[in-house]
Amino acid sequence: RKIADVAEYKGRRWEIKVEVLTSVGMTAEEADAIRPEEESEFPDDLVKPLVEFLLLNPKLQSKGARESFLETSQANGSHPDLTKAAVQRKIADVAEYKGRRWEIKVEVLTSVGMTAEEADAIRPEEESEFPDDLVKPLVEFLLLNPKLQSKGARESFLETSQANGSHPDLTKAAVQRKIADVA
């Protein structure tokens, strides 16, 4: 027999097919009793800090959030065995990235003793990601550079805006969205 005829690997464990269990005189419950207890690879004491981290860092999407949280959690040496995969799975379990911010699942908020209002209070105040003082320069830039298409306009304007150091946190995405708004 091939392994595929006997079992399927799901969620980090083998699921033995019912007909195979029956053929060896075993029930699903008996098979589960044989399995070792699964240790959570994401410590429970890190769930609330993860939720707070996601609320405080709305600009970090999945990979950035994973990397930064992992780095922060390992920095003090208290969770040296925490893995990228464990953090990634836990992020997927607790939140969803929507509309340029993390939406924490209601049941997760409840499990960490937090209300939706408390979660909103943790979030940083939304600042316009494209500074108002750059709207007019952007419009003028677009008018002066009619041959530049979307990517070229975005790259050139971003480079120009960051050259004097006044807008170092301006992102490609913010410029792209503002170009779409004004053009």
Side-chain angles (χ1 to χ4, degrees):
R1 286 186 159 176
K2 292 187 257 174
I3 289 179
D5 294 338
V6 177
E8 185 177 352
Y9 195 72
K10 288 184 180 178
R12 299 187 317 270
R13 69 183 211 167
W14 286 101
E15 293 294 334
I16 310 299
K17 294 184 178 183
V18 176
E19 60 271 16
V20 173
L21 288 174
T22 306
S23 74
V24 295
M26 189 180 283
T27 66
E29 292 77 23
E30 290 169 329
D32 284 341
I34 293 172
R35 291 183 202 279
E37 287 292 319
E38 281 190 49
E39 267 185 49
S40 172
E41 55 181 346
F42 191 92
D44 291 340
D45 65 320
L46 281 182
V47 175
K48 187 169 185 175
L50 175 63
V51 167
E52 291 169 344
F53 178 85
L54 294 173
L55 291 169
L56 286 167
N57 294 284
K59 291 182 180 178
L60 292 177
Q61 292 183 25
S62 188
K63 182 180 178 185
R66 177 192 71 208
E67 300 290 334
S68 295
F69 185 78
L70 185 63
E71 186 176 303
T72 302
S73 300
Q74 291 177 336
N76 64 5
S78 63
H79 296 284
D81 55 347
L82 190 60
T83 65
K84 287 180 184 181
V87 173
Q88 188 70 43
R89 281 191 290 275
K90 187 51 80 171
I91 288 173
D93 287 347
V94 303
E96 187 176 346
Y97 196 76
K98 288 183 179 176
R100 297 197 304 255
R101 74 181 210 170
W102 289 100
E103 294 296 335
I104 309 299
K105 295 175 182 174
V106 176
E107 62 272 16
V108 173
L109 287 176
T110 304
S111 76
V112 298
M114 195 181 292
T115 65
E117 293 76 25
E118 290 168 327
D120 286 340
I122 291 173
R123 294 180 195 279
E125 285 194 32
E126 285 191 37
E127 55 192 58
S128 173
E129 64 175 349
F130 191 92
D132 291 339
D133 65 322
L134 283 182
V135 175
K136 185 176 179 184
L138 175 62
V139 170
E140 291 170 349
F141 179 85
L142 293 171
L143 291 171
L144 289 169
N145 296 285
K147 292 183 179 176
L148 287 179
Q149 293 183 6
S150 181
K151 183 179 179 184
R154 177 190 71 209
E155 300 290 334
S156 296
F157 184 78
L158 186 62
E159 187 177 308
T160 303
S161 302
Q162 291 177 334
N164 64 6
S166 63
H167 297 284
D169 57 347
L170 189 60
T171 65
K172 289 178 183 180
V175 173
Q176 189 65 43
R177 282 190 281 277
K178 188 51 83 171
I179 288 173
D181 288 348
V182 301

